[in-house]
Amino acid sequence: GSQVRFRYQITQHVRDSELLRSFGEYFGGSCGNYYSYSPNRRSADFVVKNFSDITDKVIPFFHNYPLVGAKKLDYHDFCKVVESMRSKAHLTKDGLDVTP
């Protein structure tokens, strides 16, 4: 069988680690996690895996503070996938084969 897993991730240089940590505080202490890797990688991530946190916190944030440029197009694709998952379309073979 197949499984669909969804996550929202921001990756930045480790010098911006405080910014990444602040996202968790902004969205609520239990929303997302900060991950720092070995010094060789020099980047860190803020990752949200909980679907309700993505739909109830992350998406409303970007609705209120829209992205511009190419990232805006990526965001619209992201929202299409979220809607597909909300409607349970991802549970069908056709739903898994659809690309945004």
Side-chain angles (χ1 to χ4, degrees), residues 9-75:
Q9 178 175 325
I10 301 172
T11 302
Q12 294 288 303
H13 191 279
V14 291
R15 71 175 167 256
D16 295 319
S17 62
E18 288 305 313
L19 172 66
L20 291 174
R21 284 188 179 101
S22 72
F23 289 131
E25 294 170 15
Y26 178 84
F27 290 127
S30 63
C31 178
N33 292 297
Y34 169 81
Y35 298 97
S36 179
Y37 302 97
S38 68
N40 298 342
R41 185 159 172 220
R42 302 176 70 125
S43 64
D45 300 322
F46 173 73
V47 180
V48 180
K49 295 180 184 177
N50 184 301
F51 189 73
S52 65
D53 284 341
I54 292 169
T55 59
D56 299 342
K57 297 176 183 179
V58 175
I59 288 178
F61 174 83
F62 287 110
H63 181 75
N64 290 328
Y65 305 100
L67 294 164
V68 295
K71 292 294 180 189
K72 183 177 184 175
L73 300 175
D74 294 337
Y75 172 71

Side-chain angles (χ1 to χ4, degrees), residues 92-99:
T92 67
K93 183 176 180 342
D94 288 339
L96 283 174
D97 290 339
V98 174
T99 56

